[in-house]
Amino acid sequence: VKSSLNSCLLLDVVKNPPDFLMSDYYGQYKFTHSDITTIDDRRIYVISFEQNELVFDPLYKGKLYIDAENYALVMARFEINPLYVRKTADELVLKRGKNLEVIPESVVYEVTYKPYNGIYFINHIRGDLNFKVRKKSRLFTSNLHVWFEIVNCKIDNNDVKRFPGSDKLPTRDIFSDTNFVYDKDFWEHFNVI
């Protein structure tokens, strides 16, 4: 199972709308207004969606959080339908050993947006993927939890310039395969866990 910065960028559901936000696929989903809540002191409509009962492909189910005042998407929490998540093994697992069986158990994503000067920007993206791994000759399985995350710590759109080429990282690079030197001063005061 591999992930890269590109995986995070593809989850920007506003820039790259998934099928549940595309009008061509509305017939495959059932949408309901399920709740009203508050996020950052703003009233939020919660729209739940799931695939229709007559669709047997692995589609998404989840919730969309929409600002009641300006109808902006504030958060999207969605997952591959747990009833059909096992069908996605070939899409999620890039390589596997001959004697390994890798079975997806759950695939959950969360994307949040925050307003800055009246415009909504990506705030946080996270993906959690859980698998059961079993050697074909063994009785017991192991659990594998893979996650990826990106957080926007600061927005500054004054005097924006392109990053120099030496500061860029190809979005398809896998971090564990990249030579990296840790800079302890990079995060400054944002390094709070």
Side-chain angles (χ1 to χ4, degrees):
V1 177
K2 286 191 174 182
S3 178
S4 65
L5 184 58
N6 191 54
S7 301
C8 290
L9 297 176
L10 286 174
L11 283 172
D12 180 352
V13 297
V14 172
K15 185 174 181 180
N16 306 305
D19 57 6
F20 58 82
L21 291 178
M22 304 283 284
S23 60
D24 297 347
Y25 293 91
Y26 283 164
Q28 295 184 353
Y29 288 95
K30 180 172 48 175
F31 292 86
T32 55
H33 181 269
S34 56
D35 199 4
I36 297 176
T37 189
T38 307
I39 297 176
D40 294 333
D41 296 325
R42 296 183 65 89
R43 192 169 74 166
I44 303 294
Y45 296 136
V46 181
I47 307 296
S48 297
F49 64 92
E50 61 184 336
Q51 70 187 73
N52 281 330
E53 298 84 18
L54 300 176
V55 178
F56 303 106
D57 294 327
L59 298 180
Y60 295 106
K61 67 178 274 187
K63 295 181 178 183
L64 302 171
Y65 296 78
I66 299 171
D67 190 307
E69 185 177 315
N70 58 18
Y71 303 113
L73 181 64
V74 175
M75 181 176 8
R77 283 188 187 152
F78 55 100
E79 64 181 318
I80 297 175
N81 190 330
L83 296 174
Y84 306 109
V85 71
R86 290 176 178 238
K87 291 182 177 182
T88 63
D90 291 335
E91 297 171 27
L92 298 172
V93 180
L94 185 63
K95 291 182 188 176
R96 65 180 69 121
K98 286 189 285 186
N99 296 326
L100 283 181
E101 186 178 16
V102 182
I103 304 162
E105 291 290 307
S106 70
V107 178
V108 181
Y109 303 110
E110 182 177 300
V111 182
T112 64
Y113 298 88
K114 290 267 187 192
Y116 176 75
N117 290 339
I119 299 173
Y120 281 78
F121 290 89
I122 282 283
N123 179 55
H124 180 244
I125 297 174
R126 181 174 171 106
D128 285 284
L129 295 83
N130 292 291
F131 299 91
K132 286 212 183 285
V133 181
R134 184 176 72 86
K135 283 192 173 183
K136 290 188 179 175
S137 61
R138 302 271 168 92
L139 179 63
F140 298 105
T141 62
S142 300
N143 293 325
L144 173 66
H145 176 225
V146 178
W147 61 273
F148 57 87
E149 188 169 33
I150 187 169
V151 178
N152 185 355
C153 298
K154 181 180 178 184
I155 298 170
D156 184 5
N157 54 8
N158 295 325
D159 196 28
V160 176
K161 296 178 184 158
R162 285 189 166 272
F163 289 110
S166 60
D167 288 350
K168 292 181 185 178
L169 177 70
T171 59
R172 296 196 185 276
D173 277 3
I174 308 302
F175 289 142
S176 63
D177 297 340
T178 305
N179 291 332
F180 179 74
V181 177
Y182 180 70
D183 178 6
K184 65 179 183 170
D185 297 325
F186 178 79
W187 290 106
E188 296 176 347
H189 61 283
F190 290 114
N191 194 11
V192 177
I193 296 175

